[in-house]
Amino acid sequence: MKTQGLNARLDVVVQLWRMVLRRKSWALLPVVLFLLLIIAFLAASEMPALIPFFYAVF
């Protein structure tokens, strides 16, 4: 079930990337990169082994 959630998140980024390429709107590139960063952070924060690291950072 978690992989479906991750796939749904990545689908949004893939659709945005295709729109950037199709319309040549390179101003949206930072938005796509920011979404990828947030998705990576959410995926890493769901791993139980990394929870102590995030607790120490924040």
Side-chain angles (χ1 to χ4, degrees), residues 3-4 12 19 22 25-26 33-35 37 46 48 52 54 56:
T3 57
Q4 290 177 351
V12 171
M19 186 183 75
R22 193 174 337 124
S25 56
W26 298 108
L33 292 176
F34 181 73
L35 283 174
L37 181 68
E46 292 177 358
F54 288 117

Side-chain angles (χ1 to χ4, degrees), residues 9-52:
R9 292 176 192 158
L10 288 177
D11 282 343
V12 171
V13 176
V14 169
Q15 288 176 6
L16 276 173
W17 180 248
R18 287 180 183 160
M19 186 183 75
V20 166
L21 290 177
R22 193 174 337 124
R23 294 185 181 188
K24 306 286 192 255
S25 56
W26 298 108
L28 288 177
L29 188 62
V31 173
V32 173
L33 292 176
F34 181 73
L35 283 174
L36 282 173
L37 181 68
I38 294 296
I39 289 171
F41 179 74
L42 288 174
S45 67
E46 292 177 358
M47 295 180 185
L50 296 177
I51 290 174

